[in-house]
């Protein structure tokens, strides 16, 4: 009985849409079937994709908007949508495990660690690989808060655990890291561990890759140190002129007098 009522409501809803639809819209409506599970998955994807709070499903404005689109869609609570998001995450994780299980080539990792103002350290590990159709893929396989001390043995244990969790020890080709001293020490431990298990190609000579962007950044920072006094004087001059409207107007007059084109 309840099923018949729901079906009647759907038919009534579609008839109302057809009333104000164009011929092309009517054609799309003919092929449209309302799927509550599909709609729920789309909601989960939206929340995850845009990093929205779970409580959005309880916002009055959101409820009103959804009802205007489809009054048949049942809004769930923030607790339910959180469980749905976590379930989707676990399903995707299982799917990725199968990808790695059946993958016969090598993968590479990038890892980065940073410390917040609260002295909390976080480690993020991303896996990169090329599929059989020559498409580049990447997935974050480990994101965790590092317990103190943030030294080489701690990072080694955390990284090795993540690699073993995904069962990709024998598939590793390289790991890219920045040039921090702790990373160099950690890579010595990891490289030694994997070489003992005979799991690295080329005897591990290509295993440790130094981040090119970080190297360039270090070069630029060293270069800026050489001209730091000049940069400081320019910044102070700009502050001095902008701190007074009269100075700013006078500066613009001088610029016009010397024939320098005004920029934005």
């Amino acid at each position: 009985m309840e099923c018949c009522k729901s079906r009647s409501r759907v038919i009534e809803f579609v008839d109302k849409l057809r009333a104000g639809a164009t011929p092309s819209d009517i054609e799309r409506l003919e092929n449209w079937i309302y799927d509550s599970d599909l709609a729920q998955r789309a909601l989960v994807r939206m929340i995850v994709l845009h990093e929205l709070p779970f409580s959005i499903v309880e916002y009055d404005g959101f409820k009103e908007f959804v009802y205007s689109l489809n009054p048949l869609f049942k809004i769930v609570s923030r607790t339910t949508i959180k469980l749905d998001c976590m379930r989707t995450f676990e399903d995707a994780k299982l799917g990725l495990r199968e990808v790695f299980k059946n993958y016969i080539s090598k993968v590479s990792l990038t890892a980065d660690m940073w410390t917040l103002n609260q002295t909390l350290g976080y480690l993020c590990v991303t896996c990169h690989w090329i599929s059989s159709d020559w498409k580049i893929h990447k997935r974050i396989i480990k994101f965790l808060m590092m317990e103190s001390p943030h030294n080489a043995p701690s990072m080694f244990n955390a990284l090795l655990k993540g690699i073993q969790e995904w069962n990709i020890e024998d598939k590793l080709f390289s790991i890219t890291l920045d040039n921090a001293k702790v990373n160099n020490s950690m890579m010595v431990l990891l490289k030694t561990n994997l070489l003992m298990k005979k799991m690295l190609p080329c005897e591990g000579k290509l295993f440790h890759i130094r981040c090119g962007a970080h190297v360039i950044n270090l070069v630029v920072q060293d270069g800026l140190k050489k001209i730091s006094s000049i940069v400081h004087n320019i910044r102070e001059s700009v502050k001095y002129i902008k701190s007074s409207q009269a100075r700013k107007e006078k500066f613009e007059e001088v610029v016009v007098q010397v024939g320098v084109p005004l920029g934005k």
Side-chain angles (χ1 to χ4, degrees):
M1 186 67 180
E2 187 64 31
C3 181
C4 293
K5 290 182 179 180
S6 298
R7 182 175 179 80
S8 298
R9 291 174 63 191
V10 171
I11 294 174
E12 181 182 357
F13 174 65
V14 173
D15 288 340
K16 288 181 179 179
L17 288 176
R18 285 175 177 166
T22 63
S24 60
D25 292 334
I26 292 176
E27 184 178 351
R28 282 187 292 175
L29 285 173
E30 291 291 341
N31 300 321
W32 177 75
I33 298 176
Y34 174 61
D35 187 333
S36 59
D37 292 335
L38 180 63
Q40 188 71 11
R41 289 196 296 271
L43 175 59
V44 168
R45 182 180 183 277
M46 181 189 74
I47 290 175
V48 174
L49 182 64
H50 300 291
E51 300 179 359
L52 300 173
F54 298 129
S55 58
I56 189 175
V57 296
E58 297 177 352
Y59 293 175
D60 290 338
F62 178 77
K63 291 180 179 180
E64 184 178 349
F65 173 70
V66 171
Y67 185 81
S68 69
L69 295 176
N70 188 348
L72 302 180
F73 183 75
K74 294 181 180 180
I75 300 292
V76 297
S77 67
R78 70 174 74 185
T79 302
T80 301
I81 201 65
K82 177 183 177 181
L83 293 174
D84 288 343
C85 288
M86 294 307 299
R87 191 180 300 111
T88 301
F89 168 75
E90 293 298 336
D91 290 343
K93 193 173 180 180
L94 288 174
L96 187 57
R97 286 187 186 279
E98 285 298 311
V99 170
F100 288 149
K101 179 181 178 180
N102 300 321
Y103 192 64
I104 59 175
S105 297
K106 296 294 182 181
V107 302
S108 292
L109 305 179
T110 54
D112 191 23
M113 180 176 172
W114 65 96
T115 304
L116 299 182
N117 295 333
Q118 305 96 319
T119 69
L120 298 176
Y122 290 89
L123 177 66
C124 180
V125 182
T126 306
C127 183
H128 308 256
W129 73 96
I130 299 176
S131 59
S132 58
D133 56 354
W134 292 95
K135 291 184 179 180
I136 298 176
H137 297 268
K138 64 177 181 179
R139 297 289 188 277
I140 293 176
I141 61 173
K142 194 75 173 178
F143 189 95
L144 75 157
M145 185 177 73
M146 288 286 297
E147 296 182 358
S148 298
H150 303 154
N151 54 21
S154 296
M155 289 187 64
F156 162 72
N157 290 327
L159 190 55
L160 182 62
K161 183 179 179 180
I163 293 170
Q164 291 174 340
E165 284 177 354
W166 289 96
N167 197 26
I168 55 175
E169 272 187 295
D170 60 336
K171 302 180 187 295
L172 288 180
F173 180 77
S174 67
I175 299 182
T176 301
L177 301 153
D178 63 31
N179 292 295
K181 291 182 178 179
V182 66
N183 287 340
N184 295 334
S185 301
M186 183 273 294
M187 285 301 293
V188 171
L189 296 174
L190 183 59
K191 182 178 177 180
T192 302
N193 180 280
L194 295 176
L195 282 175
M196 288 176 60
K197 301 173 184 176
K198 298 181 179 180
M199 290 183 169
L200 291 180
C202 305
E203 298 180 349
K205 294 178 180 179
L206 302 175
F207 186 52
H208 184 189
I209 305 297
R210 301 178 186 277
C211 178
H214 187 252
V215 172
I216 293 174
N217 181 60
L218 293 176
V219 173
V220 172
Q221 293 302 324
D222 282 346
L224 289 175
K225 287 180 182 178
K226 299 296 183 181
I227 60 172
S228 59
S229 59
I230 299 174
V231 175
H232 175 75
N233 290 338
I234 293 175
R235 286 175 174 171
E236 290 302 315
S237 298
V238 172
K239 289 180 183 178
Y240 177 77
I241 294 171
K242 285 189 172 183
S243 63
S244 167
Q245 183 63 27
R247 291 184 199 136
K248 186 176 180 181
E249 292 174 356
K250 185 63 178 177
F251 178 76
E252 291 175 352
E253 290 178 10
V254 174
V255 168
V256 173
Q257 290 175 6
V258 298
V260 178
L262 287 171
K264 292 183 179 180

